[in-house]
Amino acid sequence: MAALLWLQTGSCGGDTMSLLCADSPSLEELVDEYGIEMLWQPSLSLGPAGKLDALVEAVIAGQQDLDILCIEGSIINGPNGSGMYDPYRGRSKMGLVRQLAEKAQYVVAMGTCAAYGGVHAAPPNPTDCLGLQFDKQSPGGLLPAGWRSRKGLPVINLSGCPAHPNAMTKTLAMLALGLAVELDPLNRPKAFFNTTVHQGCTRNEYHEYDVEDAEFGGKACMFFNLGCQGPVTMAVCNTELWNGRSSKTRAGVPCFGCTSPDFPLDHDLFRTEKIGPIPLHLPLGVERANYMAYKSLAHEAAPERVLNKTMDP
């Protein structure tokens, strides 16, 4: 059995709600087939708060093994580095998480807030929020950049707002089985952060031919005008659909880039920032000079079937 303790910090519960939607494997399968022992989960565990108190003290004292520590929500550092804007029974959750992390075989940041600071770290929030081991894109958050768990890994960042349900359960299953989890430079599991949201998007062909939507409700690409971050965001949203059926872009909503360490961006979510006609942030791996030459030719080369599809009812 792999003993798992899940704590919520920074007033977040969205990743728990996402977890309930997992189906590959499901939450039930994690417990029944992969040997996850849920010591405590704030929304799912039964018992009074005193049960959590006793459990936490047993872990810190070394009387209770802790295989996986999951943290959901940003780490609140204020005021003045005390963490007491987010207290737990007279002490800061910040300090509590730091103590528990030293006892865990693995530490997992569930969601972008826990990984990088997320929504709560966006200015001008006075709570001075951090991620577990990152402050936005900068290494070092609550824990220093060189920190490692008892299994020799940094904090595993399952970013997203919320994190993808199956990315959460699959990662937990891998840890419970003792399988290697390879991480990218932002400490995200490569298995779930090796493609962009753009890959698998049903609007890809419009993007390639520079067929752009200027307002919502159309079928063309939303990257050029409507703020879609799909071409610059690493996530599986269009290759492993949410609830097995949809994603933001398939529902006609731009990708917000919520798995990225700089989410949320400090500008309008529904507007693409540009230098002249060229987006300020280009698709990953694309050079600006090549893009400008491509863009001037792409629309002219668009076949009639692509142009006509945008006008279909």
Side-chain angles (χ1 to χ4, degrees):
M1 298 290 285
L4 183 150
L5 175 63
W6 183 303
L7 293 180
Q8 290 175 341
T9 58
S11 302
C12 187
D15 300 285
T16 290
M17 295 177 67
S18 177
L19 182 71
L20 297 175
C21 299
D23 58 12
S24 181
S26 67
L27 181 59
E28 294 84 354
E29 288 170 333
L30 270 185
V31 174
D32 295 336
E33 299 181 22
Y34 292 94
I36 295 283
E37 179 188 5
M38 196 74 71
L39 297 177
W40 183 267
Q41 211 290 341
S43 297
L44 304 177
S45 295
L46 298 176
K51 178 180 177 181
L52 175 59
D53 294 344
L55 178 62
V56 165
E57 295 307 323
V59 170
I60 293 173
Q63 300 166 352
Q64 167 66 58
D65 290 338
L66 179 57
D67 295 296
I68 305 171
L69 173 64
C70 296
I71 302 299
E72 172 182 19
S74 56
I75 302 299
I76 294 181
N77 192 41
N80 303 317
S82 70
M84 289 305 291
Y85 279 146
D86 188 20
Y88 179 78
R89 295 187 176 270
R91 54 179 163 174
S92 69
K93 285 186 182 177
M94 177 183 72
L96 182 61
V97 169
R98 186 185 287 116
Q99 286 182 287
L100 291 171
E102 296 301 328
K103 300 294 183 179
Q105 301 294 324
Y106 303 101
V107 178
V108 185
M110 293 298 193
T112 297
C113 287
Y116 307 117
V119 171
H120 302 105
N125 194 322
T127 57
D128 191 18
C129 293
L130 303 167
L132 279 170
Q133 206 174 4
F134 273 82
D135 181 3
K136 294 294 186 180
Q137 297 192 35
S138 301
L142 172 67
L143 304 171
W147 180 91
R148 295 297 181 266
S149 71
R150 292 197 169 192
K151 283 291 187 179
L153 288 179
V155 173
I156 299 168
N157 289 328
L158 285 173
S159 57
C161 192
H164 193 289
N166 290 343
M168 287 192 281
T169 55
K170 286 178 179 176
T171 299
L172 293 177
M174 292 170 69
L175 296 178
L177 294 174
L179 300 178
V181 178
E182 189 177 0
L183 305 179
D184 72 5
L186 293 168
N187 292 352
R188 302 175 299 192
K190 286 185 177 180
F192 313 110
F193 296 91
N194 60 0
T195 63
T196 65
V197 174
H198 182 64
Q199 292 171 277
C201 178
T202 53
R203 298 168 184 253
N204 268 358
E205 193 169 33
Y206 301 121
H207 177 90
E208 298 305 321
Y209 286 112
D210 190 28
V211 178
E212 313 168 9
D213 271 343
E215 57 185 35
F216 292 110
K219 298 180 180 181
C221 182
M222 296 180 287
F223 171 70
F224 302 96
N225 296 308
L226 299 178
C228 184
Q229 300 293 304
V232 299
T233 300
M234 305 298 287
V236 295
C237 297
N238 275 312
T239 52
E240 183 159 1
L241 298 178
W242 288 73
N243 295 321
R245 60 182 298 120
S246 194
S247 70
K248 276 191 174 69
T249 59
R250 294 187 183 211
V253 179
C255 167
F256 297 157
C258 74
T259 61
S260 301
D262 55 357
F263 173 81
L265 297 173
D266 192 20
H267 63 72
D268 188 345
L269 288 176
F270 302 115
R271 176 176 56 84
T272 300
E273 291 190 321
K274 298 179 182 179
I275 301 175
I278 307 299
L280 182 61
H281 301 289
L282 299 181
L284 294 178
V286 175
E287 295 182 3
R288 188 163 298 275
N290 295 340
Y291 186 84
M292 293 176 70
Y294 150 78
K295 183 176 173 65
S296 66
L297 299 173
H299 192 86
E300 295 300 322
E304 285 296 321
R305 60 179 177 81
V306 173
L307 298 174
N308 290 341
K309 280 175 68 177
T310 65
M311 297 183 287
D312 289 344

